């Protein structure tokens, strides 16, 4: 079975992230790393590989040269190989163009199961798995918190607001997993050293048969019109308890419509 895990190299969520003048994320001013939410997809792929024979795990990312760091982190956790799609014309692509490039690379490699995180920690759209499934012509099973793959079929559990839903589907398929699917493992020193020797294939748009006019900023269907920094946190209101603290607290909660 071939598993392809889509991962993304994103600006550190703990850093002071901003936009550039053209409305795209400023990736040069902060350190970047493997998206934390994608680590859960990596973990699920490795668990499936450990539970059965003849399972190949390949990681896939789209981005500039330093996006390889995300692939090496994933390979250090486990897995067999990686694919890096890098092309200057991809810069500024939105989720639609990104899904086009990812689908092209996945079809070229071959797959039985595609795993994704529930969203990226920079864009946060959370729609790439569904877009991928549409482009690949396979079912999409999204926001799964418990995943098993046995005998050519997958079973997943999804927690809703009012009910727990269990879903089942055949392969091939695209699956996204949430941050409740299982803690991701830490790369061991042995894994880090082994990752340096694992193959990473670099592809461009020409290798995927994709025209440059289909991707990039000019082809994007979405754009950031304006961006405003989050205002600084204001000092909280202190309710003194001089015997009437309960009344003051109740008045505060009522004014804020908490009660």
């Amino acid at each position: 079975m071939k598993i392809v895990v889509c991962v993304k190299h994103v600006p550190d969520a703990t850093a002071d992230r901003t936009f550039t003048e053209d409305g795209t994320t400023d990736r040069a001013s902060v350190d970047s790393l493997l998206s934390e939410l994608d680590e859960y997809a990596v973990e699920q792929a490795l668990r499936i590989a450990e539970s059965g024979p003849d399972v190949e795990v390949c990681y896939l990312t789209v981005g500039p040269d330093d996006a390889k760091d995300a692939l090496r982190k994933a390979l250090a956790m486990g897995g067999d190989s990686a694919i890096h799609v890098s092309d200057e014309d991809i810069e500024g692509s939105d989720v639609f163009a990104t899904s086009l490039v990812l689908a092209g690379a996945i079809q070229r490699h071959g797959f039985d199961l595609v795993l994704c995180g529930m969203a990226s920690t920079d864009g946060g759209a959370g729609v790439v798995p569904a877009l991928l499934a549409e482009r690949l012509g396979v079912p999409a099973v999204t926001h799964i918190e418990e995943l098993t793959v046995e005998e050519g079929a997958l079973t997943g559990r999804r927690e809703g607001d009012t009910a727990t839903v269990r879903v089942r589907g055949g392969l091939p398929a695209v699956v996204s997993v949430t941050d409740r699917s299982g803690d991701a493992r830490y790369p061991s020193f042995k894994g880090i050293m082994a990752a340096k020797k694992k193959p990473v294939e670099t592809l461009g748009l020409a290798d995927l048969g994709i025209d440059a006019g289909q991707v990039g900023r000019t082809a994007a269907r979405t754009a950031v019109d304006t961006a405003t920094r989050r205002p600084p946190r204001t000092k909280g209101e202190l309710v003194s308890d001089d015997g009437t603290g309960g009344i003051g607290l109740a008045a505060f909660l009522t004014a804020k419509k908490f009660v």
Side-chain angles (χ1 to χ4, degrees):
M1 180 171 66
K2 283 188 174 183
I3 300 177
V4 178
V5 186
C6 297
V7 298
K8 191 175 183 182
H9 195 235
V10 299
D12 188 344
T14 63
D16 186 17
R17 298 175 294 177
T18 60
F19 290 99
T20 60
E21 292 183 0
D22 61 10
T24 58
T25 303
D26 183 2
R27 302 179 184 277
S29 62
V30 296
D31 293 332
S32 295
L33 39 71
L34 170 62
S35 177
E36 179 184 355
L37 293 176
D38 289 341
E39 291 187 12
Y40 296 97
V42 173
E43 176 63 28
Q44 290 305 307
L46 296 177
R47 292 186 185 187
I48 294 171
E50 292 167 352
S51 66
D54 301 323
V55 179
E56 173 197 327
V57 177
C58 176
Y59 303 109
L60 168 63
T61 197
V62 177
D65 289 343
D66 58 359
K68 283 185 179 180
D69 293 343
L71 296 176
R72 290 299 179 191
K73 170 70 179 295
L75 287 170
M77 295 169 68
D80 304 289
S81 62
I83 299 172
H84 178 207
V85 182
S86 180
D87 197 301
E88 291 182 357
D89 291 320
I90 297 175
E91 183 181 358
S93 293
D94 62 4
V95 291
F96 299 100
T98 299
S99 67
L100 174 66
V101 176
L102 288 172
I106 292 169
Q107 288 173 322
R108 185 179 188 275
H109 177 75
F111 72 101
D112 297 293
L113 175 64
V114 178
L115 283 171
C116 307
M118 60 189 290
S120 63
T121 55
D122 56 349
V127 298
V128 168
L131 292 171
L132 265 181
E134 177 68 18
R135 293 189 183 281
L136 295 171
V138 300
V141 183
T142 58
H143 290 82
I144 296 300
E145 297 188 7
E146 180 183 281
L147 176 67
T148 57
V149 177
E150 295 177 338
E151 298 179 356
L154 63 89
T155 303
R157 188 189 81 239
R158 181 190 296 131
E159 296 291 343
D161 293 335
T162 59
T164 296
V165 179
R166 292 197 173 274
V167 294
R168 181 177 174 84
L171 298 178
V174 176
V175 176
S176 70
V177 297
T178 73
D179 53 357
R180 296 184 179 181
S181 58
D183 292 337
R185 67 193 66 188
Y186 290 100
S188 64
F189 177 76
K190 181 179 179 180
I192 294 172
M193 298 305 294
K196 297 179 180 180
K197 300 180 181 179
K198 294 178 180 178
V200 177
E201 183 181 14
T202 300
L203 303 174
L205 291 176
D207 298 307
L208 305 179
I210 297 175
D211 185 86
Q214 296 177 275
V215 300
R217 191 175 295 107
T218 57
R221 305 185 206 177
T222 59
V224 176
D225 290 330
T226 59
T228 304
R229 283 187 174 275
R230 180 184 299 172
R233 296 184 63 178
T234 58
K235 187 177 180 180
E237 183 177 337
L238 181 63
V239 177
S240 300
D241 188 6
D242 55 1
T244 60
I247 297 174
L249 179 59
F252 173 80
L253 294 175
T254 302
K256 298 296 183 181
K257 298 182 179 181
F258 292 140
V259 294

